[in-house]
Amino acid sequence: MQKLRPDMDIGKNIQDLRHKCGYTQEQVVAYMQLLGCNLSRVTYAKIEGNNYNIRVSELVALKIIFEADFSDFFDGLVPSDVNLSNF
């Protein structure tokens, strides 16, 4: 199973999306389980805390739950070694 390494704070964007939808972590976990992602609330909290290698299937489930675009998960993330003034 493919996983994404959270070397950037994607968890903050996931938390922001959850807050915009008005969901609790427990509600998101329940929806994820309905979509086939066997996740506990503790593990989900690790996703938001950027302490978990999120699986692609979990990211797809969150996209569905939050009715988000994939770009919403990566909004504002820039590698620390990139100088945007060069673009």
Side-chain angles (χ1 to χ4, degrees), residues 52-84:
Y52 176 81
N53 291 342
I54 189 169
R55 291 177 172 86
V56 173
S57 59
E58 294 163 346
L59 191 63
V60 170
L62 290 172
K63 177 191 182 302
I64 293 167
I65 293 164
F66 298 144
E67 298 180 9
D69 293 322
F70 283 116
S71 62
D72 295 333
F73 294 99
F74 305 102
D75 189 43
L77 300 182
V78 179
S80 59
D81 59 345
V82 172
N83 183 349
L84 292 177

Side-chain angles (χ1 to χ4, degrees), residues 23-24 26-37 61 65:
Y23 296 144
T24 65
E26 291 83 4
Q27 288 172 312
V28 172
V29 168
Y31 291 137
M32 290 184 77
Q33 289 173 352
L34 289 173
L35 292 171
C37 296
I65 293 164

Side-chain angles (χ1 to χ4, degrees), residues 9-60:
D9 196 1
I10 190 174
K12 175 73 170 103
N13 287 347
I14 292 171
Q15 183 181 57
D16 289 346
L17 289 167
R18 177 175 61 81
H19 286 157
K20 284 180 187 175
C21 291
Y23 296 144
T24 65
Q25 288 183 344
E26 291 83 4
Q27 288 172 312
V28 172
V29 168
Y31 291 137
M32 290 184 77
Q33 289 173 352
L34 289 173
L35 292 171
C37 296
N38 190 17
L39 213 63
S40 69
R41 199 221 37 95
V42 171
T43 302
Y44 179 79
K46 289 180 182 179
I47 291 173
E48 287 190 0
N50 219 49
N51 296 314
Y52 176 81
N53 291 342
I54 189 169
R55 291 177 172 86
V56 173
S57 59
E58 294 163 346
L59 191 63
V60 170

